[in-house]
Amino acid sequence: MSNQIKNILLVGVGGQGILLASEILSEAAMLAGFDVKKSEIHGMSQRGGSVVSHVRYGTEVFSPIVPEGEGDVLFGFELMETVRSLPLLKPGGTVVANDLQISPPSVLMGQETYPAALPERIKERFADCLLVDCQKIATDAGNVRAANTVLLGAVSKRLDIAEEFWLKALEKMVPVKALEVNKRAFQMGREL
Amino acid sequence: MKEILSGNEAIARGAYEAGCLVACAYPGTPSTEILENALKYKEINSSWAPNEKVALEVAIGASFGGGRALCTMKHVGVNVAADPLFTLSYTGVRGGLVLVAADDPEMHSSQNEQDSRNYARFAKVPMLEPADSQECKEFTRLAFELSEQYDTPFMLRSSTRISHGKSVVELGERVTDLPLPKLEKNPAKLVMLPGNAKVRHPLVEQMLVDLSKAAATMPFNRMELRDTSIGIITAGICYQYVREVLPNASTLKLGMVHPLPHDLIREFAASVDVLYVIEELDPFIEDQVKAMGITAVGKEIVSLCGELTPGRLRSAFGLPQPAAIAADKMPGRPPNMCPGCPHRGVFFSLNQLKAYVTGDIGCYTLGFMPPLSAMDTCVCMGASIGMATGVTKVVSDEEKKKVVAVIGDSTFLHTGMNGLMDMVYNNSPATVIILDNSITAMTGRQDNPATGFTLMNEPTNAVNIPLLCKALGVKNTRIINPLDLEETKRVIAEEMARPEPSVIITNKPCVLIKRDDVFQKGPAYAVEDDACSGCRACLKIGCPAIEWRPAADGSKKGKAYIDKLLCTGCDVCRQLCKFDAIGSDK
């Protein structure tokens, strides 16, 4: 049974909107008829710290956290955090990540440099890897703030949840005034 | 109808369905969202109390008045509420009373990882422990019913993974046939003087015996026999990990962790070859099982520290771990104060003044982190002021001048003001800085008695903190603008030198406050490239909006850069620049 469960990790920096993205994903999975569990840490991580959100869906899900090394899809909102979380993925897993760098405090203060060649490091370990300039695509869609939705669109193509459920989830979770832009961003993500 | 709810949302929903009338709490991760969701149900009177003790006392009053009442707190909050709790078990209830204690194994956002189950046993209060959001809802509802049936408060234990985990919940309707609350005198039950309490105590002991017996057949304690070569007694989130990692093992899933169903445990132990007890933190169930004369394996294989994960459980049972790539060494990404946070200048000044800072619980605990590095102690809510008084009792007169307590507005009102009363009463020369940012920020911007609003967003009295300090007897109370570095440093230095108690109150709000009349972002600042000498002075405040950009030629030279989207225009960095390179980006 457990091998029918999809394990998805959403990783990035506190404040990037990771929780909303994982809620949309969970909602879509529930609408598609799956059992769903999701887990993440609030609190301290919201002040710009690393955030990891776990979403699991399938016929029956027990643990809300993805067992270490069993992640199917890593959904990265920021490069360094994406690389940090690669050990959570199973070998041969999928990486869909925003090609974005957010400097941590030590880099902002000039004590360390932002690690080099991160896209290459991801690609050499995970062949099934899509790195996207979500900011640019979201801007084209009408609002840079829809960057996460672009990524969500790209991830949606790689999961067994029909498009209609994604759109219903978006309609439920995204404020009305931002819905059209987000739907466009989602479609542009699906085409990647 | 099905919805995906967090454990906290589901607890609020369960209280609503149970006909709960009053919900009261002090915010604390991971429990905070319970009350924020109870707020959605207009039938529940939801409120923030100044601290957990008051929150529980309000719930007790509501129960004594005949209404069902919910009280929620993080694990360490129960320490504060312990005084009423231990006698509440003797009085019992009128309306059902449920106390939620949300534990934080792994200390994701806490100063310790105490196991609240010990409180249930210590205070003689029954405790349920849900394993997912559906159970959070059902157990909350059930706890209200059992509370009235057995005339006892009920505790519900959650944990970070339960409270902040989400899963699918089937919603139900609110009960409508509860008796209306009405005053009813019953001093023999509710006035706990020795004569009355002596009568009540044996009833409490009998209640626990009765409940333990009844629990053997209650559906929340569930024996699931599969392969009987391994039997595992477990509860809460650990049950999910056991099912994940050892899907074929037999389980005794306990929904009630106090009192334990002894008969059921014996029956389960006799049904399996090897018995394990899998629980996070203390060997709470294990010790009691072993005390029953049953052989079991528990803390021999699972740590007393931290939370359980599927991987840790695999290791405990010697199971192979899935192949995964090795971790890359990456710069850490610790949490940080927000751009424009009014605390930053205070800690920068304290660092410069080489103060010995007794700290407290809130966003400002991040003042411990480099480059501000200006916090020397942090123990519990409200402790900063008492610790400052204590330090000054033992060190030399010269060192006394270095002692400064820092505490937020909400924490000051929680339990800090008692410390200030003592500081004045016993004439400690330490200095107290009340970082009044007009909100309870760390837990996600909750109102408190000094903000002028209730949880239900009704305007209300705002405690006048300077006047309160005066009433406590503080002769020297000074209000400063913490975004003015010169003023901040000068006033702190003056008050540190003063050989009597003094209080400094900062007057700038949290940048996350959404009320427009409280905080508004100013125009962003920018660095003028030609004027920037690359001296790095502005980096010393650790603002996330300021970035060091090395020179293109790779030399050590570089310049500072301000991210316009993040900058709130607080002006603190401009005051640090000796080259006038920073200014408003108009």
Side-chain angles (χ1 to χ4, degrees):
Chain A
M1 290 292 276
S2 66
N3 58 4
Q4 294 174 0
I5 289 175
K6 272 281 187 204
N7 294 312
I8 300 140
L9 296 145
L10 299 90
V11 304
V13 179
Q16 275 193 288
I18 295 159
L19 301 195
L20 178 61
S22 69
E23 307 233 318
I24 293 169
L25 167 55
S26 305
E27 183 76 18
M30 184 187 76
L31 292 172
F34 292 109
D35 186 24
V36 189
K37 281 190 180 163
K38 156 177 144 78
S39 180
E40 66 254 329
I41 300 301
H42 309 187
M44 289 296 251
S45 55
Q46 286 180 327
R47 300 287 174 274
S50 305
V51 173
V52 182
S53 176
H54 303 239
V55 178
R56 311 185 75 207
Y57 69 87
T59 40
E60 187 180 14
V61 182
F62 290 110
S63 165
I65 52 179
V66 174
E68 300 87 328
E70 290 188 13
D72 296 299
V73 180
L74 180 65
F75 186 169
F77 291 65
E78 196 273 346
L79 280 173
M80 211 175 91
E81 296 310 317
T82 303
V83 174
R84 198 194 304 281
S85 289
L86 289 177
L88 298 172
L89 265 186
K90 68 181 185 191
T94 301
V95 179
V96 179
N98 191 358
D99 188 8
L100 171 75
Q101 299 189 0
I102 300 176
S103 297
S106 60
V107 173
L108 292 177
M109 287 185 279
Q111 294 159 345
E112 285 184 280
T113 51
Y114 193 93
L118 294 185
E120 291 73 17
R121 283 202 234 176
I122 300 169
K123 284 174 191 158
E124 73 191 25
R125 290 173 214 174
F126 292 91
D128 187 9
C129 166
L130 177 68
L131 293 179
V132 188
D133 185 345
C134 295
Q135 277 66 24
K136 185 183 173 303
I137 297 170
T139 307
D140 293 346
N143 191 339
V144 67
R145 292 173 67 187
N148 292 350
T149 313
V150 174
L151 207 54
L152 208 53
V155 169
S156 74
K157 285 281 274 191
R158 287 154 179 82
L159 297 174
D160 48 352
I161 299 171
E163 187 178 354
E164 58 174 309
F165 301 119
W166 289 99
L167 293 175
K168 273 190 191 159
L170 279 174
E171 280 161 17
K172 182 171 173 193
M173 320 291 282
V174 175
V176 178
K177 62 178 190 246
L179 189 60
E180 278 316 304
V181 169
N182 275 278
K183 278 185 170 172
R184 259 200 311 279
F186 183 78
Q187 286 306 338
M188 291 166 88
R190 277 182 79 83
E191 283 154 23
L192 292 168
Chain B
M1 194 175 103
K2 279 184 179 176
E3 270 194 51
I4 298 183
L5 298 182
S6 69
N8 284 347
E9 289 169 318
I11 290 168
R13 177 75 198 184
Y16 163 76
E17 290 181 10
C20 176
L21 293 178
V22 169
C24 197
Y26 183 81
T29 312
S31 71
T32 311
E33 300 85 357
I34 303 172
L35 263 270
E36 291 177 329
N37 282 286
L39 185 62
K40 292 179 184 162
Y41 307 107
K42 61 180 190 317
E43 295 87 345
I44 304 177
N45 177 303
S46 300
S47 62
W48 294 130
N51 66 37
E52 294 85 354
K53 179 175 182 287
V54 175
L56 181 55
E57 289 155 353
V58 169
I60 292 172
S63 162
F64 287 179
R68 289 188 170 179
L70 177 75
C71 180
T72 70
M73 55 195 64
K74 69 183 289 169
H75 59 329
V76 287
V78 187
N79 302 334
V80 181
D83 201 357
L85 178 64
F86 277 66
T87 304
L88 174 63
S89 57
Y90 282 29
T91 62
V93 300
R94 258 188 84 208
L97 189 150
V98 177
L99 167 60
V100 179
D103 286 7
D104 189 17
E106 200 74 19
M107 294 174 273
H108 297 287
S109 197
S110 301
Q111 68 270 35
N112 75 28
E113 50 183 354
Q114 66 188 48
D115 186 332
S116 291
R117 296 176 299 171
N118 296 300
Y119 266 119
R121 200 169 179 210
F122 194 6
K124 301 180 186 293
V125 174
M127 176 182 264
L128 299 181
E129 183 168 5
D132 59 20
S133 297
Q134 180 71 39
E135 286 193 351
C136 281
K137 196 204 75 163
E138 282 170 14
F139 284 15
T140 301
R141 191 171 168 155
L142 186 66
F144 278 107
E145 291 164 11
L146 291 173
S147 168
E148 287 169 10
Q149 191 183 337
Y150 284 85
D151 189 11
T152 173
F154 254 71
M155 289 182 80
L156 185 88
R157 184 207 191 203
S158 179
S159 66
T160 300
R161 296 293 178 184
I162 294 293
S163 277
H164 288 174
K166 289 202 166 192
S167 56
V168 182
V169 177
E170 182 75 46
L171 304 184
E173 297 297 320
R174 181 172 167 95
V175 298
T176 51
D177 56 349
L178 297 175
L180 283 176
K182 190 173 181 308
L183 290 178
E184 185 183 290
K185 295 194 181 223
N186 189 355
K189 172 171 155 65
L190 302 183
V191 180
M192 282 302 96
L193 288 167
N196 289 340
K198 279 177 187 165
V199 178
R200 296 295 305 174
H201 185 187
L203 299 177
V204 176
E205 301 298 342
Q206 189 57 46
M207 176 274 294
L208 290 168
V209 172
D210 294 346
L211 195 54
S212 167
K213 284 213 177 75
T217 55
M218 287 184 181
F220 49 73
N221 287 329
R222 192 168 76 223
M223 195 155 78
E224 299 169 353
L225 292 181
R226 286 175 281 266
D227 173 4
T228 54
S229 62
I230 291 182
I232 300 174
I233 302 176
T234 187
I237 191 66
C238 297
Y239 169 78
Q240 307 294 359
Y241 302 143
V242 166
R243 297 288 291 122
E244 183 77 35
V245 172
L246 299 156
N248 298 320
S250 294
T251 49
L252 172 57
K253 191 226 178 255
L254 297 176
M256 186 156 72
V257 290
H258 185 68
L260 292 179
H262 291 137
D263 297 343
L264 193 60
I265 288 171
R266 281 187 214 286
E267 187 188 341
F268 181 69
S271 311
V272 298
D273 300 339
V274 186
L275 184 67
Y276 292 87
V277 181
I278 299 300
E279 55 194 326
E280 283 171 336
L281 304 178
D282 296 343
F284 180 79
I285 299 169
E286 179 188 343
D287 282 354
Q288 295 181 69
V289 168
K290 286 179 172 170
M292 290 165 67
I294 297 170
T295 304
V297 179
K299 289 297 156 186
E300 295 87 345
I301 60 167
V302 173
S303 176
L304 289 157
C305 309
E307 66 179 355
L308 202 60
T309 66
R312 287 175 185 172
L313 190 60
R314 272 191 208 126
S315 299
F317 280 88
L319 299 170
Q321 298 287 353
I325 64 157
D328 273 27
K329 205 172 156 0
M330 288 280 145
R333 194 185 296 275
N336 194 354
M337 290 174 193
C338 304
C341 176
H343 300 331
R344 193 168 268 112
V346 174
F347 285 97
F348 178 77
S349 303
L350 287 167
N351 180 314
Q352 288 203 316
L353 292 164
K354 298 188 168 45
Y356 183 86
V357 181
T358 58
D360 226 300
I361 310 268
C363 285
Y364 49 93
T365 316
L366 295 170
F368 161 79
M369 308 281 289
L372 299 169
S373 308
M375 186 169 290
D376 297 286
T377 75
C378 174
V379 175
C380 72
M381 289 288 290
S384 58
I385 304 178
M387 289 190 290
T389 300
V391 172
T392 60
K393 284 179 190 269
V394 294
V395 298
S396 70
D397 284 350
E398 204 42 47
E399 286 201 316
K400 282 185 177 66
K401 292 179 185 164
K402 291 186 180 301
V403 181
V404 178
V406 293
I407 186 165
D409 47 332
S410 190
T411 310
F412 178 67
L413 298 174
H414 178 277
T415 36
M417 53 191 268
N418 315 56
L420 184 59
M421 197 188 303
D422 174 70
M423 176 179 263
V424 176
Y425 177 43
N426 289 303
N427 201 30
S428 158
T431 302
V432 175
I433 302 178
I434 300 175
L435 301 160
D436 183 3
N437 62 355
S438 306
I439 206 81
T440 310
M442 182 89 256
T443 44
R445 302 182 301 259
Q446 287 74 31
D447 279 298
N448 67 51
T451 65
F453 288 90
T454 67
L455 169 60
M456 293 163 94
N457 208 29
E458 291 154 345
T460 186
N461 174 66
V463 171
N464 183 323
I465 293 177
L467 212 55
L468 176 60
C469 294
K470 193 176 175 192
L472 291 171
V474 180
K475 292 198 190 78
N476 317 290
T477 301
R478 300 180 65 179
I479 296 169
I480 59 167
N481 171 5
L483 303 178
D484 180 334
L485 289 180
E486 183 280 323
E487 179 190 359
T488 298
K489 187 176 171 185
R490 175 174 44 79
V491 172
I492 296 175
E494 285 168 10
E495 295 308 320
M496 284 170 73
R498 195 190 292 274
E500 56 182 0
S502 50
V503 173
I504 300 166
I505 302 169
T506 65
N507 69 356
K508 289 291 174 209
C510 171
V511 297
L512 298 176
I513 294 181
K514 295 221 166 110
R515 290 187 187 109
D516 282 351
D517 57 333
V518 182
F519 176 76
Q520 273 186 324
K521 216 169 162 170
Y525 279 47
V527 180
E528 200 179 311
D529 247 13
D530 296 341
C532 177
S533 72
C535 75
R536 300 181 186 231
C538 57
L539 298 172
K540 290 184 183 144
I541 47 169
C543 176
I546 309 176
E547 179 165 12
W548 176 254
R549 291 200 168 164
D553 62 5
S555 69
K556 278 199 171 175
K557 274 284 167 198
K559 289 187 190 297
Y561 165 83
I562 294 175
D563 185 330
K564 274 191 266 186
L565 291 176
L566 294 177
C567 177
T568 67
C570 78
D571 192 59
V572 168
C573 59
R574 184 196 60 77
Q575 298 165 48
L576 289 170
C577 183
K578 291 183 179 138
F579 303 92
D580 286 334
I582 299 178
S584 188
D585 183 38
K586 280 175 187 157

